[in-house]
Amino acid sequence: MNKLLYLLFVLMSVAAVACGDSGQPEGEPTAAPASSPALLSDTPEPASAAEAPSLSTDEVVSETASSEPEPDEVVAEAPARELIEPVRGGVFRRLWSDPPTLDPHLTSDTTSAGIVVEVFSGLVTLNTNLQLVPDLSESWTIDDGMVYTFKLRPNARFHNGKPVTAGDFKWSLERAADPETASPVADTYLNDIVGAMDYIEGNASEISGIKVIDDRTLQITIDAPKAYFLAKLTYPTAYVLDRETVEAGGPSWWVDNPVGTGAFKLAEYLIGERVVLERNDDYYREPAFLDSIVMNLAGGQSMAMYENDEIDTTGVGLFNLDRVLDPTEPLNK
């Protein structure tokens, strides 16, 4: 369970750049070191950033001992922070690394997940407060703590325009659990579903706990009441894929034609050079604010690239902290 919560937290830290109700990832694709107490960014934050503002270039958050003021002591109130209105359009540039895979069902690392969660999606997701919210499903009911019935959004579509159906989800979940797919995490995230382990072990022809009621209604039955089950469905292992795209593309389908359902489409992937994501204007939720995201895969020193206006965000290590805090330095502006 600790592993699950950790992976979910890491996943959210890289999810949903610039969507109207999603958080913007910060820092590099790997976990930030303890010596990186701040983040520099000169790109306007999306609307959701107001819910969890990050450390700006001209302020430092610190913990100090508090005490009650003396009777004659005057306590000055900090000025109210001005909220920045979200700006639509523009390109967000950042440093990234080549992902091991962009197949959601094979994803088990944050570098891959940072791209996968923008291009693909599932039944439910986590918002910036790590709360479960509907994604491709618009609602669900739970009977006896074990039978989950999901109603899909009527406007849910793949990037190629095809509607997303309950049958697509059943096929996708069974594809993730298929021994031939060799998912490294299917047994962790799908094992609560009735019949899933039999299918994963090659002892069944389908997952008996997944049923298609109609095109917009999917029913999933688990083996016992578990409060964390929905949280497991936020992981890419449970994301929906377009069967025709996957079967026609073979093992490299996600390089040549990665048709997803997410807020961004994969417009370009040049190994060792860049990944370009373009906004999906037909997204079933609020479309992203940004026009595109460019991920630099060529490597480099992030602070130098930030100062040269090659990227829009970077972590700040102790070596550069004094410069960031110095009002006479350009980095403090």
Side-chain angles (χ1 to χ4, degrees):
M1 186 60 188
N2 289 336
K3 176 183 176 183
L4 170 63
L5 292 175
Y6 171 76
L7 286 173
L8 288 174
F9 178 79
V10 171
L11 178 61
M12 281 306 302
S13 72
V14 295
V17 172
C19 295
D21 53 2
S22 302
Q24 175 176 299
E26 299 179 346
E28 304 305 326
T30 53
S35 61
S36 299
L39 182 89
L40 294 183
S41 176
D42 55 13
T43 300
E45 297 284 354
S48 61
E51 300 176 10
S54 61
L55 189 63
S56 67
T57 60
D58 58 358
E59 67 177 344
V60 177
V61 178
S62 63
E63 293 184 2
T64 57
S66 61
S67 60
E68 293 296 327
E70 295 297 329
D72 297 330
E73 183 179 353
V74 177
V75 180
E77 293 185 1
R81 183 174 182 177
E82 182 180 354
L83 295 179
I84 301 175
E85 289 296 323
V87 177
R88 291 194 177 274
V91 179
F92 180 67
R93 304 164 302 167
R94 68 174 310 167
L95 194 61
W96 207 251
S97 300
D98 275 297
T101 182
L102 292 181
D103 186 330
H105 300 161
L106 299 179
T107 296
S108 60
D109 64 285
T110 57
T111 302
S112 299
I115 302 172
V116 165
V117 298
E118 305 294 352
V119 179
F120 303 91
S121 53
L123 291 166
V124 293
T125 189
L126 298 172
N127 65 16
T128 54
N129 295 317
L130 296 182
Q131 298 168 324
L132 277 163
V133 294
D135 199 357
L136 279 164
S137 67
E138 63 179 3
S139 63
W140 62 83
T141 60
I142 307 173
D143 296 323
D144 298 325
M146 295 185 292
V147 181
Y148 291 73
T149 304
F150 297 91
K151 183 65 70 172
L152 302 184
R153 296 178 187 268
N155 63 333
R157 294 184 178 277
F158 289 103
H159 292 160
N160 58 12
K162 293 171 57 177
V164 178
T165 68
D168 292 319
F169 264 105
K170 178 175 173 61
W171 178 84
S172 297
L173 291 169
E174 290 181 340
R175 186 230 178 214
D178 193 323
E180 292 187 5
T181 302
S183 170
V185 288
D187 58 346
T188 299
Y189 292 96
L190 304 179
N191 64 320
D192 301 309
I193 302 174
V194 171
M197 289 308 300
D198 287 337
Y199 191 80
I200 290 172
E201 294 168 359
N203 299 322
S205 59
E206 66 174 347
I207 300 179
S208 59
I210 302 176
K211 294 183 178 180
V212 175
I213 306 303
D214 56 47
D215 280 350
R216 287 188 54 211
T217 310
L218 179 73
Q219 189 176 90
I220 299 178
T221 303
I222 60 176
D223 53 15
K226 297 172 182 177
Y228 54 80
F229 174 67
L230 282 175
K232 283 188 169 186
L233 295 184
T234 67
Y235 201 78
T237 314
Y239 283 4
V240 68
L241 303 179
D242 176 34
R243 180 173 185 173
E244 182 179 348
T245 297
V246 175
E247 292 183 342
S252 62
W253 69 270
W254 51 270
V255 174
D256 302 325
N257 189 25
V259 174
T261 52
F264 287 87
K265 301 177 182 181
L266 182 59
E268 183 180 36
Y269 176 26
L270 297 177
I271 297 174
E273 295 185 36
R274 62 182 173 272
V275 167
V276 179
L277 306 179
E278 293 183 349
R279 181 179 58 230
N280 174 19
D281 291 325
D282 296 322
Y283 189 47
Y284 50 89
R285 296 166 70 185
E286 183 181 3
F289 285 91
L290 292 171
D291 292 328
S292 62
I293 304 168
V294 177
M295 296 178 166
N296 185 326
L297 309 179
Q301 209 288 320
S302 61
M303 180 59 75
M305 295 174 71
Y306 178 81
E307 293 185 84
N308 292 331
D309 196 31
E310 298 176 49
I311 57 176
D312 298 311
T313 185
T314 181
V316 179
L318 292 177
F319 182 78
N320 292 298
L321 187 57
D322 288 342
R323 297 173 60 208
V324 173
L325 300 179
D326 186 348
T328 65
E329 283 281 344
L331 283 174
N332 185 261
K333 302 299 185 286

